[in-house]
């Protein structure tokens, strides 16, 4: 995470996400996948092929791509279908767009009820016998049962969570890095799924994206860094107020 | 003397030119790498620190961040939308330099009209318009937070102080000042060995000093897992930063 300053002098914290060897692996039509829209399977970071059986390499061989560590699905409309085997770059997103980021949260292991659910526990003194971090009562007398989904101690973390509506401030086309506002679930160097935001307030900002994706061998030559309009770029002199 | 053999007259050899040994240049060149360039020990990708360093070098090309240490007196002008001239000048002694990368900060302390004031500035913030070093010197410690519990005379610096001239090739002066403290209680127990403070003149009784040594952890200096040797990393970063600034 890094600080970033706007032209008015305000500071925002930014997370760096690197797009590392992303390729489209397979196209599933609406009937095949059994959903409302067509799906595209996309694979992430390259990994050695020697630790999985041959049957698992089928998809990667068809697409002509080395084995990937993570394979995710994206729901896609019919006009945005991409041929399997095309690489995806960070320039797929542009500064000013809003994005949802999904990842597995940091695993905390088996945790008690105070850390996991934020219960208040019991006082430290004034006669409490061996009861300082316990849940207390778990149901009422009339119910005479414990409801399903009762908050109790258990394994915490290591589940998929999404942060919605994160603004993209900057894109580096050489190293394929996306600078995304705020924090993102997951530990450092973990694998993350970045998607166009589905929030209704962000619809107008997400217009005019590179559609269906940014092709590196195309005609468009992008500069090394793409900045949002409001970012203070370090090539400018210091901010002054009038 | 003409060597025999040829019989011909030897060619005129001019006398050797006098070699001027410049003692100033002979001294090893002082290298100062700002501490925020050195990446902390961790599991982050070095690419992240490389991107941050590029931004830091870019900022340094446009805006000059001078060399300074904890204990030097600085004057910082920032852009302030609510001030009269839209700018704000603060003079103070640097008591601490923290943070790594773009978020590096330094805290300046001064006593203005009998009120101690500390301001924490970010080195790479675009609101900073000028940083001048009024007095470049080092102190015995890396962290001068104990000035909060010292007598106010040690933290007062005139706001219209003239910059003290400093020659380029000399070594940075180390001010071995031993500061006198206000009576206890202090904000932190500065006599304890974990702070390792050498710049205070402790006027406490011997028994108190001995009792403070009970909290000493003499095994810490032999702990190998805590060692972080930055010499090689510093070399690489020094070259990178110099090349970046020359371009």
């Amino acid at each position: 995470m890094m600080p970033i300053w706007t032209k008015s002098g305000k500071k925002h914290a930014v997370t760096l996400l690197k797009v590392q060897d992303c390729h489209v692996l397979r196209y599933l039509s609406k009937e095949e996948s059994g959903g409302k829209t067509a799906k595209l399977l996309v694979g992430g970071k390259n990994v050695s092929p020697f630790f999985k059986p041959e049957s698992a390499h089928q998809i990667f061989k068809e697409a002509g791509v080395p084995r990937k560590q993570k394979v995710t699905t994206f729901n896609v409309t019919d006009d945005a279908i991409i041929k399997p085997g095309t690489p995806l770059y960070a320039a797929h997103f542009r500064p000013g767009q809003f994005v949802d980021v999904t990842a597995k949260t940091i695993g905390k292991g088996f945790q008690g009820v105070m850390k996991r659910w934020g219960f208040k526990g019991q006082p430290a003194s004034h006669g409490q016998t061996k009861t300082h971090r316990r849940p207390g009562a778990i149901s009422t007398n009339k119910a005479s049962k414990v409801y399903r989904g009762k908050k109790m101690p258990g394994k915490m973390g290591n589940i998929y969570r999404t942060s919605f509506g994160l603004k993209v401030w900057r894109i580096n086309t050489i190293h394929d890095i996306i600078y995304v506002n705020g924090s993102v679930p997951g530990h450092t160097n973990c694998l993350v799924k970045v998607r166009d935001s589905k929030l209704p307030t962000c619809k107008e900002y997400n217009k005019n994206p590179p559609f269906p994706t940014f092709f590196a061998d195309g005609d468009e030559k992008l500069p090394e860094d793409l900045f949002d309009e409001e970012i203070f770029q370090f090539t400018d002199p210091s901010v002054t107020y009038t | 003397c003409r060597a025999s053999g040829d019989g011909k007259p030897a060619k005129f050899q001019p006398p050797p030119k006098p070699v001027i040994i410049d003692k100033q240049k002979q001294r090893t060149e002082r290298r100062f790498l700002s501490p925020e360039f050195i990446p902390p020990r961790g599991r982050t990708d070095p690419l992240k620190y490389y991107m941050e360093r590029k931004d830091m070098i870019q900022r340094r090309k446009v805006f000059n961040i001078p060399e300074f240490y904890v204990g030097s007196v600085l004057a910082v002008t920032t852009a302030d939308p609510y001030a009269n001239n839209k700018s704000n000048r603060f003079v103070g002694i640097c008591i601490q330099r923290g943070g790594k990368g773009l978020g590096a900060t330094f805290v300046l302390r001064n006593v203005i009209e009998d009120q101690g004031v500390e301001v924490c500035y970010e080195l790479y913030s675009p609101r900073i318009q000028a940083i001048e070093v009024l007095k470049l010197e080092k102190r015995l410690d890396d962290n001068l937070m104990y000035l909060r519990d010292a007598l106010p005379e040690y933290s007062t610096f005139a706001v219209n102080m003239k910059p003290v001239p400093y020659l380029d090739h000399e070594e940075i002066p180390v001010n071995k000042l031993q500061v006198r403290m206000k009576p206890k209680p202090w904000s932190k127990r500065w006599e304890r060995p974990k702070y390792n403070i050498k710049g205070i003149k402790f006027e406490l009784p011997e028994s108190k000093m001995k009792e403070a040594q009970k909290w000493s952890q003499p095994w810490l200096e032999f702990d190998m897992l805590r060692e972080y040797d930055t010499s090689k990393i510093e070399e690489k970063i020094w070259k990178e930063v110099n090349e970046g600034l020359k371009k």
Side-chain angles (χ1 to χ4, degrees):
Chain A
M1 285 196 72
M2 228 169 75
I4 234 181
W5 286 273
T6 54
K7 289 193 170 145
S8 55
K10 276 199 178 161
K11 181 168 119 161
H12 298 268
V14 139
T15 314
L16 311 196
L17 305 175
K18 182 168 163 76
V19 177
Q20 197 167 1
D21 320 310
C22 285
H23 286 91
V24 176
L25 297 177
R26 195 193 274 183
Y27 159 67
L28 298 165
S29 64
K30 202 161 87 171
E31 296 78 39
E32 267 182 291
S33 60
K36 291 186 192 171
T37 49
K39 292 198 173 127
L40 278 180
L41 289 181
V42 171
K45 185 170 130 180
N46 282 351
V47 143
S48 107
F50 300 121
F51 298 102
K52 285 284 176 191
E54 283 293 322
S55 50
H57 295 321
Q58 190 67 28
I59 308 181
F60 305 112
K61 277 188 189 162
E62 280 169 32
V65 138
R67 187 190 140 222
K68 304 286 185 187
Q69 185 170 346
K70 187 97 191 112
V71 175
T72 46
T73 48
F74 286 90
N75 289 340
V76 183
T77 45
D78 282 324
D79 50 353
I81 300 170
I82 310 174
K83 186 178 171 190
T86 41
L88 300 174
Y89 299 100
H92 179 98
F93 297 101
R94 288 298 146 91
Q97 283 184 344
F98 284 79
V99 133
D100 294 341
V101 176
T102 314
K104 271 199 171 179
T105 49
I106 298 179
K108 314 263 177 183
F110 196 102
Q111 287 299 335
V113 108
M114 275 178 87
K115 193 184 197 58
R116 196 176 184 215
W117 299 112
F119 283 12
K120 277 176 76 173
Q122 289 84 25
S125 71
H126 288 299
Q128 312 290 320
T129 39
K130 308 198 298 189
T131 321
H132 306 289
R133 300 182 68 95
R134 298 180 78 189
I138 53 177
S139 189
T140 50
N141 188 12
K142 195 168 176 189
S144 57
K145 69 168 186 175
V146 176
Y147 295 115
R148 183 172 316 161
K150 174 85 195 71
K151 293 181 181 176
M152 282 186 162
K155 291 251 162 65
M156 179 181 164
N158 203 25
I159 48 173
Y160 284 105
R161 281 286 189 253
T162 314
S163 342
F164 296 99
L166 304 180
K167 180 167 174 178
V168 170
W169 284 108
R170 179 177 161 180
I171 296 206
N172 187 306
T173 34
I174 295 187
H175 298 276
D176 276 331
I177 302 183
I178 310 175
Y179 289 61
V180 145
N181 190 32
S183 62
V184 141
H187 55 90
T188 42
N189 303 339
C190 79
L191 285 169
V192 129
K193 174 179 170 180
V194 182
R195 217 184 53 212
D196 291 320
S197 190
K198 62 168 210 196
L199 295 179
T201 44
C202 305
K203 266 188 190 169
E204 51 175 75
Y205 294 100
N206 283 357
K207 289 184 180 161
N208 309 325
F211 199 78
T213 188
F214 170 75
F215 296 103
D217 49 348
D219 298 328
E220 230 183 314
K221 293 280 172 195
L222 288 178
E224 182 191 334
D225 269 308
L226 293 164
F227 294 94
D228 187 46
E229 299 149 344
E230 288 172 9
I231 279 193
F232 169 79
Q233 302 193 21
F234 290 113
T235 39
D236 304 330
S238 307
V239 159
T240 41
Y241 298 104
T242 40
Chain B
C1 309
R2 288 165 215 181
S4 58
D6 279 27
K8 297 174 194 170
K11 204 175 165 189
F12 168 67
Q13 299 284 346
K17 284 188 182 159
V19 177
I20 305 167
I21 303 171
D22 196 0
K23 281 190 183 165
Q24 293 175 3
K25 280 184 188 168
Q26 261 191 348
R27 277 177 226 169
T28 47
E29 267 181 42
R30 198 161 42 84
R31 293 177 169 192
F32 173 69
L33 185 64
S34 213
E36 71 265 6
F37 279 105
I38 302 161
R41 206 162 60 142
R43 286 164 62 162
T44 34
D45 203 353
L47 179 65
K48 184 238 178 191
Y49 297 123
Y50 173 69
M51 302 301 297
E52 256 189 316
R53 254 177 280 139
K54 269 189 355 187
D55 279 337
M56 284 151 79
I57 292 169
Q58 188 58 52
R59 174 74 177 152
R60 277 183 183 244
K61 277 193 215 175
V62 173
F63 174 73
N64 171 41
I65 298 177
E67 164 192 355
F68 67 97
Y69 303 88
V70 170
S72 16
V73 182
L74 307 185
V76 173
T77 28
T78 43
D80 193 350
Y82 310 112
N84 271 345
N85 281 340
K86 304 293 174 193
S87 71
N88 187 357
R89 183 171 190 262
F90 186 75
V91 172
I93 182 172
C94 174
I95 45 177
Q96 146 178 304
R97 284 186 80 159
K100 297 283 179 198
L102 276 175
T105 55
F106 62 101
V107 181
L108 295 183
R109 180 183 166 83
N110 201 347
V111 171
I112 298 174
E113 292 178 15
D114 296 330
Q115 173 64 48
V117 176
E118 285 180 14
V119 185
C120 177
Y121 290 106
E122 288 160 355
L123 274 174
Y124 295 94
S125 166
R127 280 171 64 172
I128 297 187
Q129 280 155 350
I131 305 182
E132 308 153 37
V133 175
L134 299 176
K135 193 172 179 191
L136 182 66
E137 64 175 11
K138 277 195 205 177
R139 294 276 203 129
L140 291 171
D141 308 301
D142 255 344
N143 202 313
L144 298 178
M145 286 295 180
Y146 56 81
L147 288 179
R148 292 171 183 168
D149 299 315
L151 297 172
E153 63 196 32
Y154 295 102
S155 315
T156 32
F157 295 93
V159 179
N160 40 11
M161 190 167 129
K162 295 279 180 313
V164 168
Y166 168 71
L167 291 162
D168 211 5
H169 59 268
E170 280 178 3
E171 283 196 27
I172 316 131
V174 178
N175 191 351
K176 301 199 176 162
L177 176 65
Q178 299 257 310
V179 152
R180 289 186 57 211
M181 306 290 276
K182 290 194 245 185
K184 267 202 162 191
W186 298 328
S187 60
K188 296 246 169 2
R189 296 170 208 247
W190 304 111
E191 73 274 9
R192 292 218 175 149
K194 91 171 198 195
Y195 296 108
N196 196 17
I197 292 184
K198 293 163 191 148
I200 300 184
K201 187 169 182 181
F202 290 109
E203 281 151 5
L204 300 170
E206 272 296 319
S207 54
K208 295 277 180 188
M209 298 301 291
K210 268 184 108 173
E211 200 191 323
Q213 291 301 318
K214 268 203 295 189
W215 279 269
S216 69
Q217 295 170 313
W219 57 86
L220 273 187
E221 62 171 300
F222 303 106
D223 194 342
M224 292 175 77
L225 285 182
R226 278 174 205 258
E227 282 169 6
Y228 183 39
D229 187 23
T230 50
S231 47
K232 289 177 191 169
I233 305 173
E234 271 192 47
E235 287 277 330
K236 282 189 198 165
I237 296 180
W238 169 257
K239 279 185 202 167
E240 201 187 309
V241 167
N242 267 12
E243 275 165 43
L245 285 173
K246 274 177 201 168
K247 276 185 196 169

